[in-house]
Amino acid sequence: MASLYTKVKLYLEANSKTWDAEKNNIRLQNNGSGDFIHTWNVSGLAEPTDEQIASYETAANTEEALQVVLDNRRNDYPSIADQLDDIYHNGIDAWKATIKTTKDKYPKE
């Protein structure tokens, strides 16, 4: 199940807003029974209904899965300095092979 944060972020983006611009106007909370929108002060955009939030479940699951892949890749790639050293000593093709190993290990679905 996708997080409320991701679903709210997608709702904002679908309505020409961004989380970064609006994060100080929104407060998400968990009361022990689940996450909910505690405060919504987004100018020009009504607080989403439960049905509207639920409609973003599939897209939010996809986005969260992609973020896991990107985080795994970021952690697995050699440092930029090591990548540049690899290119200098072994050429672009060897570097591409190194990067491909990580991309194959963590494919985008």
Side-chain angles (χ1 to χ4, degrees), residues 18-29:
T18 66
W19 175 264
D20 288 342
E22 299 297 340
K23 65 185 172 189
N24 294 326
N25 300 319
I26 302 168
R27 186 168 166 209
L28 306 179
Q29 249 184 343

Side-chain angles (χ1 to χ4, degrees), residues 5-17 37 40 42 45-49 52-53 55-56:
Y5 159 77
T6 303
K7 292 184 264 190
V8 167
K9 181 176 167 282
L10 292 173
Y11 173 77
L12 289 167
E13 290 169 358
N15 290 282
S16 302
K17 305 277 186 181
I37 299 170
W40 185 273
V42 177
L45 183 60
E47 180 176 335
T49 64
Q52 287 172 311
I53 288 295
S55 74
Y56 288 96

